[in-house]
Amino acid sequence: MKKPDTLSTPGAAIASYTAIGDSFTEGVGDPGPDGTYVGWADRLAVMLAEQHPRHELRYANLAVRGRLLDQIVAEQVPRAVELAADLVTFCGGGNDILRPGTDPDAVAERFEEAVAALARSSGTVLIATGFDTRGVPVLRHLRGKIATYNAHLRAIADRHGCLVLDLWSLRSVQDRRAWSEDRLHLSPEGHRRVALRAAEVLGVAASGRAEEPWPPEAVRTPADARRENIQWAREHLVPWIGRRLRGESSGDRVSAKRPDLLPLP
């Protein structure tokens, strides 16, 4: 199948879109009114639908929180290949990189095998890099590991003709308000910024800019920061460590929210 020329034809019509990945693409941190997570991929789907209102967009989101790359490859990639959408967004490997002892080179090799399969069956494949974690407590020590993985992802995109959603360079998500209370997932505004950046990469018109300035924030004292850190550790860090020790995942017993290519409501 010939890929749409989204680079030379900004806003080229996309009639179908499949998103695969983990909690980031499922939309954790961005709850909707019915309790289902929204997230950047759902927001991007709306932008795509608004770009060409006369053409009904069909959208599937196969992402499930907590999934490791091998699980995404086994559970989601075959379905995405079967659906053969005009656009596939693929973000995976982040949960692997967070685990001690994982080799970003080995993770990237498995990622590339999946990208090759998606590129053969779908129109345009867009892959997302990891975020720059320099300002994120606990995760800042993984910055070099994430950067190594990102370098692989950019090379993979180049080899297979994919677009890149470069989240490392997205400065607006360095603001703490872009992140939810657990400091691992984006807030609703963070998801909106990522969706806007994805729209920019695809050449899709949107009402807003990914790097639009944040409004002024109230001054926080060192005492405020200490209280927030203690609350975060008690409510989020300790339970996260407990799940790791028990071999549990936040995605256990969770299934994809949009397993089929269906029109948006």
Side-chain angles (χ1 to χ4, degrees), residues 3-4 6-7 115 119 123-126 155-163:
K3 295 185 179 183
T6 47
L7 290 177
V115 167
T124 295
V125 177
L126 182 149
I156 291 167
D158 190 47
R159 286 194 289 270
H160 295 277
C162 304
L163 300 179

Side-chain angles (χ1 to χ4, degrees), residues 21 44 47-48 91 108 156 174 203-204 216 226 231 239 242 246-249:
L44 175 62
M47 296 176 192
L48 291 169
C91 180
I156 291 167
Q174 295 300 319
V204 173
R226 284 194 297 272
Q231 181 178 1
R246 294 190 299 271
E248 298 175 356
S249 168

Side-chain angles (χ1 to χ4, degrees), residues 98-117:
L98 292 180
R99 299 200 169 200
T102 53
D103 179 2
D105 299 339
V107 177
E109 287 181 7
R110 302 197 301 276
F111 187 94
E112 182 162 15
E113 293 174 2
V115 167

Side-chain angles (χ1 to χ4, degrees), residues 21-31 37 39-40 64-67 91 94-95 98 131 133 136-137 139 173 175-192 194 214 232 236 240 243-244 249-251:
D22 49 30
S23 59
F24 170 58
T25 300
E26 184 187 350
V28 174
D30 185 11
Y37 290 116
W40 71 271
V64 176
R65 70 199 77 166
R67 289 299 191 260
C91 180
N95 289 324
L98 292 180
F131 294 96
T133 59
V136 183
L139 300 184
V173 296
D175 190 290
R176 72 185 192 93
R177 289 170 288 181
W179 296 88
S180 65
E181 291 182 354
D182 67 6
R183 303 182 183 179
L184 287 173
H185 301 99
L186 293 174
S187 66
E189 180 61 16
H191 277 284
R192 188 182 77 90
V194 170
W214 288 83
W232 167 75
H236 300 287
W240 182 78
R243 287 197 301 271
R244 289 293 175 271
S249 168
S250 59

